Amino acid sequence: MRLFEALVPLKNHLALQKHTTLGLVPTMGALHNGHLALVERAVNQNDLVVVTIFVNPTQFDNANDLNAYPKTLDQDLEKLSLFGEKVVVYAPEVEDLYPETTKSEVYDFGELEKTMEGGSRKGHFQGVATIVEKLLRSFMPTKAYFGEKDYQQLAIIHALVKQKELPIQIVNCPIIREADGLAMSSRNTRLTPKQRAIAPQVYQALLQAKEKKGRFSIEEIIDEARHFFHQSPDFELDYFCIADATSLQPLYGKKIEQEARAFIAVKLGEIRLIDNVKF
Ligand code: PAF
């Protein structure tokens, strides 16, 4: 495994490596088993794999959140070294990816970016699309791998690739969970032991909602979830939403005919957790 901090030498290196397929795994580091599952899949499906480690400033609407984002480069490199020669790591400073100004490009994703994370985190998806487009154009991989925990992000990335006509396959990878059901996330390391003990209730709320499908209306199911989190002083519910799995627009009523997903975002102290399940 080789590490590069600058794009130009990395691209020169890739040009010299014999390969017909290239996988790209964009990450913000603080790697956990969810990331490693993406890398493993990419390694199995491609001759070469670029893993990027970059905490992208333009997708944060809150400076404290950006500064507190965990950075564990040495441990990340140790984990990635287990994948051997096929993996190349790109871990740049901000200037390498934003040489002129640290600003997002402007995209129009319509309704897709107005709900849920897009509604709660101003400019978040403009920042995600900016960095993902930069990375996709820099490497022009055969396939790029993203986790379904950030399901709305995945929908935005599919829309981006379509709008920009990029000939790259976006591979959706399933959520990897801890034994108690908590979706793996780099932010979990910032939970206190008490918060970590109750964090699996986020996934449980999604499962309870799913279990009520068809017997109760979506409005009733959401009310119950709201009530549950309202009662618990440790949690601050941002949204609980049941939406069409493709358009991500909220659904109502009892009879759901299309493919749907249940989504949740809560704050546990300072830490924002998101999760989703097929509904
Ligand atoms: O999901 C993430 O870790 C980030 O949003 C991504 C896709 C690496 C872009 O910074």
Side-chain angles (χ1 to χ4, degrees), residues 185-230:
S185 162
S186 305
R187 293 175 199 271
N188 294 351
T189 56
R190 295 178 54 211
L191 296 168
T192 64
K194 183 179 170 224
Q195 290 168 339
R196 176 61 189 84
I198 59 172
Q201 291 178 19
V202 175
Y203 179 51
Q204 282 155 20
L206 288 171
L207 293 183
Q208 275 164 24
K210 188 171 167 160
E211 195 267 322
K212 295 191 185 86
K213 181 182 170 182
R215 293 188 293 121
F216 296 88
S217 70
I218 286 185
E219 292 85 331
E220 286 167 324
I221 293 173
I222 291 175
D223 266 357
E224 199 151 317
R226 281 202 185 120
H227 181 67
F228 171 78
F229 285 105
H230 195 69

Side-chain angles (χ1 to χ4, degrees), residues 26-29 35 52 54-56 59 69 124 127-128 131-132 135 146 150 153 157:
T27 81
M28 297 207 296
H35 294 114
T52 69
F54 178 65
V55 182
N56 172 39
Q59 70 189 75
Y69 202 85
H124 173 65
V128 169
I131 191 65
V132 171
L135 294 173
F146 298 88
D150 296 294
Q153 167 173 283
I157 292 168

Side-chain angles (χ1 to χ4, degrees), residues 55 57 59-71 121 187 190 267 270-272:
V55 182
Q59 70 189 75
F60 288 80
D61 63 345
N62 176 326
N64 291 339
D65 196 24
L66 171 61
N67 294 332
Y69 202 85
K71 291 182 189 72
R121 301 175 70 190
R187 293 175 199 271
R190 295 178 54 211
K267 271 186 96 177
E270 285 303 298
I271 316 304
R272 194 159 182 282

